[in-house]
Amino acid sequence: MATLLHIDSSVLPGEASSSRSVTAAFRKSWEEQHPQGTVIYRDLAANPVPHITADAWSAGYAAPSERTPEQSAAFAARVKLIEELEQADTVLIGAPMYNYSIPSTLKAWLDNVLLLGRTAGETPSAQGTPVIVVASRGGSYAPGTPRENYEFVQNYLEAVFTGTLGLDLDFIVPELTMAPRNPAMSELVPLYEASRRRAFEDATAKAKELAERLAA
């Protein structure tokens, strides 16, 4: 059976969050293609994982027999997150832009799953796994826009997911999400609506595409 690892990190609930709305659309389409599949779900806003600690970090470089009880406990929590990534046939992540970067809760998850010699290194353990990132943002940071140099979400995640973890990365980018709520952005509402519609279409299409790839 196919396994989807679904991670949300927006602090906003339900439909109030653009990233959650689009990940929900992807998941719905994915589950329609995999009615017997398994979904591992983590809501990092409601249940954040621990930030990396000295014990959790140093345990990754110590032999099991040499770890302290504190190191062993901290490392076990990391291994659980790593195993969820390794078990997944598809990874789905909601990554809204907060202050030009990803939420700290998502960064904490990444710090835990990045383990040299296992998930990172010459032969990453989850190499080739498709990962879809819904990178929502209140404005636009696309090439040619005034703030393109402030785009640190896609650039960073490209380095981590592709360059380090060896995953097969694809982005869905709902942008201008503040337009309906910010009078100064009212003229951008049509562009926001087009971006939102395209994001939902992409989510549904990519879920079906990955289902066909897994079935091949």
Side-chain angles (χ1 to χ4, degrees):
M1 293 189 297
T3 298
L4 173 70
L5 174 59
H6 175 187
I7 297 173
D8 279 323
S9 61
S10 172
V11 297
L12 298 177
E15 294 183 359
S17 164
S18 292
S19 64
R20 287 181 186 271
S21 297
V22 177
T23 60
F26 181 100
R27 176 171 169 175
K28 180 177 183 293
S29 180
W30 189 92
E31 289 179 320
E32 288 172 351
Q33 306 300 316
H34 300 285
Q36 305 302 318
T38 299
V39 176
I40 302 170
Y41 181 61
R42 283 194 174 270
D43 185 336
L44 298 179
N47 296 290
V49 301
H51 283 278
I52 199 77
T53 64
D55 285 330
W57 178 81
S58 59
Y61 298 93
S65 61
E66 297 175 352
R67 292 172 186 155
T68 66
E70 293 78 14
Q71 285 178 315
S72 295
F75 193 66
R78 287 188 71 186
V79 168
K80 179 175 176 57
L81 298 174
I82 289 170
E83 288 177 343
E84 290 176 353
L85 174 63
E86 292 171 339
Q87 292 165 9
D89 295 293
T90 302
V91 180
L92 170 66
I93 297 178
M97 178 186 281
Y98 291 163
N99 300 314
Y100 310 120
S101 188
I102 62 174
S104 63
T105 51
L106 181 55
K107 179 62 164 61
W109 179 82
L110 286 168
D111 287 341
N112 276 279
V113 300
L114 279 164
L115 181 59
L116 188 63
R118 183 163 177 173
T119 59
E122 292 186 8
T123 55
S125 56
Q127 187 171 14
T129 302
V131 55
I132 304 296
V133 174
V134 179
S136 60
R137 61 275 315 275
S140 179
Y141 301 82
T145 61
R147 290 198 170 186
E148 67 172 301
N149 290 334
Y150 291 81
E151 164 43 67
F152 302 113
V153 172
Q154 289 177 262
N155 292 341
Y156 169 67
L157 294 179
E158 176 79 35
V160 173
F161 286 129
T162 301
T164 304
L165 295 174
L167 305 184
D168 182 8
L169 174 63
D170 203 353
F171 285 105
I172 298 174
V173 186
E175 61 179 8
L176 301 168
T177 63
M178 288 296 296
R181 298 188 289 276
N182 185 347
M185 298 175 67
S186 60
E187 64 181 21
L188 299 175
V189 168
L191 293 177
Y192 152 74
E193 292 174 342
S195 176
R196 178 178 172 83
R197 182 169 58 253
R198 186 165 55 249
F200 280 106
E201 291 171 352
D202 286 350
T204 300
K206 290 180 189 300
K208 292 180 179 179
E209 175 189 332
L210 289 174
E212 293 173 356
R213 188 190 306 182
L214 287 173

